[in-house]
Amino acid sequence: VALPGKVIEIQDKTAVVDFNGNQVTARTGLVDIQVGDYVLVHAGCILQKVSTEEAENLNTLMKDVGGFS
């Protein structure tokens, strides 16, 4: 399952992505991104950029069905 997070920093081919306060480093090679974008990350790689609305909807859905915060 890939959850949406917000890109807060980019250096070379890696980005720091914030997931509700948890920050992870992910590879950016597959998707062209900018700071502030919402992205889906799986296995340490950014797979897709998503809209703010889609990210909020996915986060709400995951909270409702799985107790994610």
Side-chain angles (χ1 to χ4, degrees):
V1 174
L3 300 172
K6 187 173 187 176
V7 176
I8 59 171
E9 181 181 329
I10 301 171
Q11 282 190 326
D12 298 321
K13 294 188 185 241
T14 61
V16 177
V17 182
D18 181 77
F19 296 91
N20 297 320
N22 296 316
Q23 296 179 1
V24 300
T25 302
R27 305 268 309 151
T28 64
L30 300 173
V31 180
D32 183 29
I33 59 163
Q34 297 179 354
V35 171
D37 286 344
Y38 283 91
V39 295
L40 298 180
V41 176
H42 180 71
C45 294
I46 295 172
L47 300 177
Q48 179 180 342
K49 193 168 26 173
V50 296
S51 70
T52 301
E53 180 181 9
E54 186 175 5
E56 290 170 355
N57 289 341
L58 285 168
N59 280 329
T60 299
L61 175 66
M62 295 307 284
K63 286 177 190 174
D64 289 347
V65 296
F68 291 95
S69 55

